[in-house]
Amino acid sequence: MVETQRRARQIGAVIPMRPRFLDKFLNRISRVEPEAVQHYILQLAREKGFFERIFNALQEGIIVTDGDSRILYLNQAACVLCGLDEKGDVGKLLSERVRGLDWEAMSQSDRVISRDTEIFYPQNRFLNFYVVPFHLNEDGAIEEFGAEEDENLGYAVILRDITETRRSTEATLESERLSALTLLAAGVAHEIGNPLNSLHIHLQLMERRIKKLERKDRDALANSVEIAKEEVKRLDTIVNQFLRAIRPTTPEVHAENVNAVVRESVAFLAAEMEDRDVLVETDLAEDLPLLELDRTQIKQVFYNVIKNSFQAMKSGGILHIRTERGDGFVSITFTDTGGGISAENMSRIFQPYFTTKQSGSGLGLLIVRRIVREHGGEIDLESNEGKGLTLTIRLPYGDRRIRMLEAPAVTEEVTE
């Protein structure tokens, strides 16, 4: 009989039941025939297994907690979405097991709460948390919510992965922001271009007049005019480069060795990194296939990433660059020993004008992602705040076009 009571309590702990019903049931066990008790226990166990199979078939995560927010039950989808252990995490506090979850704010209300949250473990996802509190009213019935004086039995949490929807929305917003930025840049470039042209013309006129002056006055003025012309030329180059960077352009692709592009990029910035006492280590795989790339654009990507890395590091920092071949893609990974990026800034890092540097433009990574996506690739970021950042670029190789399947053969129907 003691063993039967123990099994009843175990089942009741997993399947939320009315506590008063369970107490009455346990009090009356001594007056019930053992065969009947066993029949009820087996029936409960079968129902428990039946509902668990249903819950594990759902794509949405299900988590049930008690009144102290300790996990009573979770299905397989919840384990996948939040990196939980279906058996090991039962009895643990939900707030401790789901990283970054502001459970205290979600569990304060007596009403149903729906909240979108970004989590970074085990993967960077956006989840919708639909939290339903359960209360026991004076009649002993379980309700979704009740008055504050009602007994709090716990919470049911439904998790829905909204990552694709969220990222699709963000991609649309990013495209709109980039279009607005392009229009703004074109307007600014036009307004700057006109004064620059005027300056260039007047400097040419000054050069002609300087040639008529005496030698002692001519040399100093000629030198000043030449410096001014060089600065005007430099400003014009900066404006043109900026426009080329943000305007949507179709890559002019050719078969390229990505390792060679990495080496050229490192060599181009070697002097700046040496001046900052930053060491570059490379681990470049030799079995990489040729990639269809716009060499100039991919160089710009590598320049921006490498520059961000060594600017984030102090003297003596190390930048490790690795290339390797994957299934249908080549990955280029940049790992630095800088300060990393905080969890709050991770979701904003690709936004226009967002920067953590005092003199940064906030456009570098936005341009990087646009170019990589135009090449059919993607970018992953992994930050260890205070220790460094890992940025991985994946570029596809091979024939990735859609292959149309042949239509099935049509058999003629035989009629008599």
Side-chain angles (χ1 to χ4, degrees):
M1 186 62 67
V2 173
E3 177 64 19
T4 302
Q5 290 178 340
R6 185 185 67 81
R7 290 182 62 190
R9 286 195 175 93
Q10 285 179 335
I11 292 173
V14 177
I15 303 177
M17 305 173 66
R18 299 182 184 181
R20 295 182 184 180
F21 167 80
L22 187 58
D23 290 340
K24 292 177 181 178
F25 175 74
L26 293 175
N27 290 333
R28 295 177 182 176
I29 277 184
S30 58
R31 290 177 282 174
V32 181
E33 293 295 328
E35 291 79 5
V37 173
Q38 185 174 6
H39 171 74
Y40 292 135
I41 296 298
L42 291 174
Q43 185 177 351
L44 285 172
R46 281 195 296 269
E47 291 180 0
K48 172 180 175 291
F50 174 72
F51 283 112
E52 283 185 346
R53 284 193 295 273
I54 292 176
F55 288 152
N56 284 331
L58 297 176
Q59 293 184 349
E60 288 79 9
I62 306 291
I63 300 176
V64 180
T65 76
D66 62 15
D68 296 324
S69 299
R70 294 187 181 276
I71 299 172
L72 294 178
Y73 170 79
L74 64 165
N75 68 348
Q76 292 176 0
C79 295
V80 172
L81 292 173
C82 299
L84 300 174
D85 183 353
E86 193 171 358
K87 295 182 180 179
D89 284 331
V90 171
K92 305 289 182 60
L93 289 172
L94 179 60
S95 57
E96 294 179 355
R97 302 312 300 159
V98 181
R99 302 181 187 180
L101 177 65
D102 188 7
W103 177 248
E104 184 177 354
M106 291 186 184
S107 59
Q108 289 301 313
S109 175
D110 287 325
R111 299 286 175 176
V112 174
I113 291 178
S114 178
R115 183 171 299 179
D116 295 346
T117 301
E118 184 178 16
I119 65 170
F120 297 93
Y121 178 86
Q123 293 181 0
N124 183 204
R125 286 190 176 102
F126 290 94
L127 300 179
N128 173 260
F129 284 76
Y130 188 82
V131 183
V132 181
F134 289 112
H135 293 264
L136 188 68
N137 63 21
E138 294 180 356
D139 299 327
I142 297 176
E143 296 180 344
E144 288 187 1
F145 51 83
E148 293 183 359
E149 62 268 14
D150 292 343
E151 182 181 350
N152 182 5
L153 295 182
Y155 302 88
V157 183
I158 301 174
L159 309 175
R160 188 164 57 91
D161 191 347
I162 58 171
T163 304
E164 291 303 321
T165 303
R166 185 69 174 260
R167 287 179 178 168
S168 176
T169 302
E170 287 183 350
T172 302
L173 292 174
E174 179 186 332
S175 177
E176 292 174 354
R177 286 196 296 261
L178 197 56
S179 296
L181 182 62
T182 302
L183 290 174
L184 175 64
V188 171
H190 181 267
E191 294 301 320
I192 293 177
N194 288 337
L196 287 178
N197 289 333
S198 179
L199 283 171
H200 187 71
I201 292 170
H202 282 81
L203 287 171
Q204 287 181 327
L205 293 174
M206 290 175 65
E207 273 187 320
R208 294 175 188 174
R209 293 188 178 184
I210 287 172
K211 291 178 181 178
K212 299 177 182 179
L213 298 176
E214 295 183 7
R215 187 176 184 83
K216 61 178 181 177
D217 298 324
R218 185 174 61 201
D219 292 344
L221 287 173
N223 184 54
S224 297
V225 169
E226 188 62 31
I227 292 173
K229 285 179 64 179
E230 288 298 320
E231 290 301 301
V232 168
K233 183 179 179 180
R234 188 167 71 89
L235 281 172
D236 188 57
T237 301
I238 291 172
V239 170
N240 288 329
Q241 287 178 342
F242 179 66
L243 284 175
R244 284 198 300 270
I246 64 173
R247 277 177 176 164
T249 56
T250 303
E252 298 181 6
V253 299
H254 302 280
E256 302 284 357
N257 184 332
V258 74
N259 284 345
V261 182
V262 170
R263 292 188 184 100
E264 290 176 16
S265 303
V266 172
F268 182 78
L269 297 169
E272 288 187 63
M273 288 187 282
E274 185 177 350
D275 185 58
R276 288 175 172 265
D277 191 24
V278 170
L279 175 66
V280 178
E281 298 176 345
T282 57
D283 179 13
L284 309 181
E286 297 298 331
D287 62 340
L288 300 182
L290 295 179
L291 303 181
E292 294 295 317
L293 306 176
D294 184 315
R295 193 182 189 90
T296 302
Q297 290 189 10
I298 294 300
K299 270 188 182 180
Q300 183 181 7
V301 167
F302 292 166
Y303 290 162
N304 281 335
V305 174
I306 294 172
K307 205 161 189 175
N308 279 348
S309 294
F310 72 68
Q311 287 178 350
M313 292 186 282
K314 297 178 181 178
S315 177
I318 299 174
L319 172 62
H320 186 82
I321 305 175
R322 184 179 74 255
T323 60
E324 59 183 342
R325 180 174 185 165
D327 185 14
F329 64 85
V330 168
S331 65
I332 308 97
T333 303
F334 302 83
T335 303
D336 64 50
T337 57
I341 302 173
S342 66
E344 293 81 7
N345 291 334
M346 280 288 282
S347 59
R348 304 172 59 198
I349 200 67
F350 292 108
Q351 293 180 4
Y353 304 118
F354 175 79
T355 180
T356 57
K357 295 181 289 187
Q358 293 182 349
S359 58
S361 66
L363 294 172
L365 285 180
L366 175 69
I367 295 168
V368 164
R369 186 164 69 171
R370 181 183 63 78
I371 293 174
V372 170
R373 285 183 172 177
E374 286 177 353
H375 282 76
E378 266 302 340
I379 297 177
D380 283 341
L381 278 174
E382 182 179 344
S383 177
N384 190 351
E385 191 172 1
K387 296 184 179 180
L389 178 74
T390 296
L391 184 146
T392 301
I393 298 171
R394 293 185 177 87
L395 298 172
Y397 68 84
D399 188 359
R400 298 171 63 87
R401 292 173 297 180
I402 297 175
R403 180 173 63 89
M404 299 299 291
L405 299 178
E406 294 182 3
V410 178
T411 57
E412 294 184 2
E413 186 177 350
V414 179
T415 58
E416 294 184 0

